[in-house]
Amino acid sequence: MKTSTIILLLFAGTAAAQNKPAAGSTLKPVADSTPAVADTAIKSKRALHEVVISAGAFEASDRAKGASLTPIEAVTVAGSNGDISLALRSLPGAQQIGEQEGLFVRGGTSEETRQFIDGTLLRTPNYPSVPGVPQAARINPFLFRGILFSTGGYSALYGGAMSSALILESEDLPEKTSARFFLFPTVLGAGMQHLAKNNRSSFGFNLNYGNQSLYNNIVPQKPDYFSGPIYMDGNVNFRIKTGKTGMLKLYSGWGHSDVGMNNPDIDSVALKAGYQVRGWNSYNNLSFRSYLSQNWKLEAGAAYSYNRQENNLHLTNEKGNVVAIPYIPYSYKTSDRNLETDFAQGRLVISHFFPQGQALRFGAEQFYTHDHGRSNDSLLRVTDHLTAVFAEGDIYLADNLAAKVGARMEYSSLLQKTVVAPRASLAYRLRDGSQFNLAYGIFYQEPANDYLYQPNQLNFSSASHYILNYTKKANNRFFRVEVYYKQYQDLVKTIPTLSNNGKGYAQGVELFWRDKKSIKNLDYWITYTYLDTKRDFLNYPYQLRPSFAAPHTATIAIKKYFPDINTNVNLSWAMATGRPYYHINYNGIDDQGTTKGYNAVNLHVAWLCSFIKNKKWKDFSGVAMGINNLTGTRQVFGYNYSYNGMVKQPITLPATRSFFIGIFMSFGIDRTDDFLNNNL
Amino acid sequence: MKKLLICLAVLFVTYSGFAQSNALQQAVAKLDQAQTVKDYETLEKTFLGITEQPAWLAPYYAAFCNAKIGFLLQDDGEKIEPYSVRGEEQAKKALALLDAAKQPKEAAEVYTVLSMVYRTKVFINPMSYGRKYGTLSEQALKQAKTLDAQNPRAMFVTAWVKYYTPRMWGGDKDLAKQLATQSLQQLATPATGTDPHWGKAEDEALLSKFK
């Protein structure tokens, strides 16, 4: 949906990434640059032998060196569709789940991965789910100057995610005052950013409107949409520097979506099963960071989000009339559910820096979640106050040996339980600059609200992570191998009764290789993920390989820039062996198997140009096009079963291939001279 | 006795001054032969130890060594930063020792090297460092050319930038060739002494890409 934005920025990125960037065209009056994601890794200032703790995490920062990823590179993987979590599926540890949005990491569900923006939780990163059709992300992935994708063993500063944390840091002031618009068949948008003359504050807004009905008329979709899909979103931001080191940022976004579709009913010949979801969402984030003195730093954050979602299921007959059939299984297919969620979070982190790059961080956060709504005739209501306190230290044991040790305590008023989660990691740097990393931690997560509406005795679920990693970065190449073992405890089970009796494990090996050097203007990375996992949760009768876990996954991402024709080509290829599927009923499993493998190639091409050659105003424009699932491979993600288990239908893509083509334009006031005169 | 001591002292001071001058002269002569990262690393240390007048030359050459190292390491972004950081400090130190209004030619030399140092910051990772330091590099170069339009080294750096920048962003290979040729003509007679005179080999390397 936000493909165009991606392409635009991809290009902005490419322009900067050309081997020897040019003068004066894309300029960045960056005043001070505090390192992105500074608090998630130890960074010594010791020039030539820097030890950075990196077990379990992929970091993409605007200060990336050599073959480390930058945020733009990380989010512009072909096929990412403007969704940061789809883009990160090109990194090891993530599964290729084509029928649903979100990140499924190392045997965990997408619920077990949480996204944090400037420290605070982004509760609903995507538009409301639609069965079988992944929904777009709400937040523009180019908003971030730092992305830390932790596939395990992350810092005590974060919690509430059993499997993975995606820690995002929003950008500070924009480079320049600029305006942009883009026009694609499915989405159009416009926005602007204004940077104050003194380079100390900025504001901006963006508006996007997406409607896929025109596109769906040209490219037939398997579901028969009776409403939308329509997506609308808008956001404003305001950022101001306070004092010498302070930065205050406000982001506020609102979104609305409406998707209604009919599919043939699997239990009957004549009926159609209708599904409609409409959502209204507001997300607000206020963050502040500042040094209090040379050695003390304060970071504070507050977030408030409101989410309203209306789901409607109904059956229609051949004449298109809604019918209500009062017996099973049809009665399940007529329902109404409205749910409103208020979520608020406050957070404070204080850091104290000691000589030699050592540091102590501590803080607290409070989460408030309130759900109220109804599902048919039953009330849905739940209120939770979760309190967390945490502390963490960065310790240099020797010049080439660093440790990060921390703990986090959480109390949930709803569960009436307190848990303590220890976290530790260790980094050892070898003489050749390569590094071994170890990480350990326990990660707690509350059961999803869906299980908390009814009276229950539920407790936190948890996972223990053990990670060993080796990285080597040299000559603009980056090699990484990681092995891990994870143990899941107290997973929620719904059958026979609602309990925390579930458990499981995951273990695997992951490889990552990136090479920016061997071929000029070509950047590629290759990953391999081996995953062995079993879990007993929800309605599983015993420990099973979950349906969202393929044992072998490989991905390739290629970015190639052709300077002579100003064209950028982005290709991604993901392969995975088949995923298990089950038909589970009260008697156990009555059918199971493994799907065929997954194999998808996505191609994006952007041609860049400049329409206006004016000295003061420069436009940065282009045409972008792309095809997802280029080879037209018929993907099978799993199977839907009829109630009696006699009919089995594959879950596939809504259309074999997806296409886009469009234009984008961006204007910026070239204020290079102002900037330079202040800096030289 | 006292006289003798004074004599000796005078002799010593003169000698060390002579040795110093020799040291700078020798280091520059070595610099003319330097090729590897190791050569430049050693020379950087040597230049830092030299206190001879004119004072701006020692930090200027130290910064130049770091710039050369950055260019040699341009495909190894992980390693460049400490050299760039030192190079920037040294170039700025050299600038502080000059009065650009009275010594425009000398200041042009330093701005040329500062431009190269900023370029090495771009090599760290063009994606993350390109916009900021590419701009700074360009501006330093502009400053150099304003101060001394005919400086052959500023001309070489301009040629280099024109050669490696894609056309859409202002690159121009023909202009690059022309500038490098012009710069080379100025440097044709091999210069010695301690004044900046590098650039011939650099021009030739760039021009060899056109063959």
Side-chain angles (χ1 to χ4, degrees), chain A residues 22 27 64-66 175 475-476, chain B residues 76-77 81 124 128 131 135 165:
Chain A
L27 305 168
K65 295 178 202 170
E175 298 144 13
N475 297 317
N476 286 0
Chain B
D76 199 351
E81 194 165 33
I124 293 171
S128 41
R131 290 193 196 181
T135 309
T165 301

Side-chain angles (χ1 to χ4, degrees), chain A residues 73-94:
Chain A
E73 288 162 348
V75 301
T76 52
V77 175
S80 64
N81 244 15
D83 183 342
I84 197 163
S85 52
L86 287 188
L88 296 176
R89 288 180 181 182
S90 74
L91 294 178

Side-chain angles (χ1 to χ4, degrees), chain A residues 437-448:
Chain A
N437 300 279
L438 271 171
Y440 161 76
I442 302 182
F443 301 83
Y444 289 95
Q445 183 162 2
E446 290 179 277

Side-chain angles (χ1 to χ4, degrees), chain A residues 472-628:
Chain A
K472 173 143 192 183
K473 297 176 190 173
N475 297 317
N476 286 0
R477 298 186 182 105
F478 180 3
F479 173 73
R480 179 186 191 268
V481 55
E482 189 159 295
V483 293
Y484 66 91
Y485 174 73
K486 272 207 296 202
Q487 209 168 9
Y488 287 103
Q489 262 144 2
D490 303 323
L491 296 177
V492 173
K493 275 196 70 67
T494 51
I495 290 192
T497 54
L498 191 60
S499 73
N500 278 110
N501 293 339
K503 60 176 195 274
Y505 74 88
Q507 57 192 14
V509 183
E510 291 160 8
L511 299 171
F512 176 84
W513 167 253
R514 184 178 185 203
D515 181 356
K516 282 167 67 183
K517 187 186 178 180
S518 300
I519 305 168
K520 197 172 152 65
N521 284 331
L522 181 116
D523 170 19
Y524 71 90
W525 67 80
I526 300 176
T527 76
Y528 167 73
T529 300
Y530 169 71
L531 170 64
D532 168 23
T533 182
K534 277 187 178 175
R535 59 163 62 191
D536 177 12
F537 83 135
L538 303 181
N539 62 346
Y540 283 18
Y542 43 87
Q543 283 204 15
L544 296 172
R545 278 211 298 129
S547 56
F548 45 83
H552 305 277
T553 305
T555 66
I556 300 175
I558 299 174
K559 295 164 191 284
K560 170 101 178 118
Y561 178 55
F562 298 92
D564 295 334
I565 49 169
N566 295 325
T567 300
N568 200 72
V569 176
N570 222 327
L571 189 80
S572 74
W573 185 9
M575 294 146 279
T577 49
R579 283 156 50 187
Y581 62 87
Y582 308 97
H583 183 237
I584 299 170
N585 63 23
Y586 273 92
N587 310 319
I589 297 170
D590 64 14
D591 188 33
Q592 62 178 302
T594 303
T595 66
K596 73 189 200 84
Y598 176 75
N599 182 354
V601 178
N602 303 324
L603 173 72
H604 288 190
V605 180
W607 173 70
L608 304 141
C609 58
S610 184
F611 296 122
I612 303 163
K613 313 258 195 244
N614 177 302
K615 211 166 177 222
K616 195 76 182 162
W617 282 81
K618 273 207 165 99
D619 76 313
F620 178 69
S621 308
V623 177
M625 64 189 90
I627 304 175
N628 293 340

Side-chain angles (χ1 to χ4, degrees), chain A residues 98-99 132 134 222-223 598 629 633-637 651-657:
Chain A
E99 74 280 23
K222 219 171 54 158
Y598 176 75
N629 197 23
T633 311
R634 186 171 176 270
Q635 317 289 359
V636 177
F637 305 120
I651 303 167
T652 60
L653 291 168
T656 311
R657 293 182 183 87

Side-chain angles (χ1 to χ4, degrees), chain B residues 124-186:
Chain B
I124 293 171
N125 186 330
M127 214 47 171
S128 41
Y129 290 72
R131 290 193 196 181
K132 179 175 177 180
Y133 291 104
T135 309
L136 285 173
S137 173
E138 204 53 33
Q139 189 64 16
L141 189 58
K142 213 167 139 190
Q143 192 85 11
K145 287 186 285 190
T146 312
L147 290 164
D148 181 2
Q150 288 306 309
N151 185 306
R153 283 162 289 283
M155 221 178 270
F156 156 72
V157 177
T158 314
W160 188 94
V161 171
K162 290 288 170 201
Y163 183 84
Y164 284 105
T165 301
R167 214 179 45 218
M168 186 183 175
W169 310 101
D172 186 338
K173 288 202 162 70
D174 293 336
L175 183 59
K177 190 176 180 182
Q178 188 192 319
L179 287 169
T181 312
Q182 206 180 325
S183 164
L184 187 62
Q185 279 164 5
Q186 288 197 43

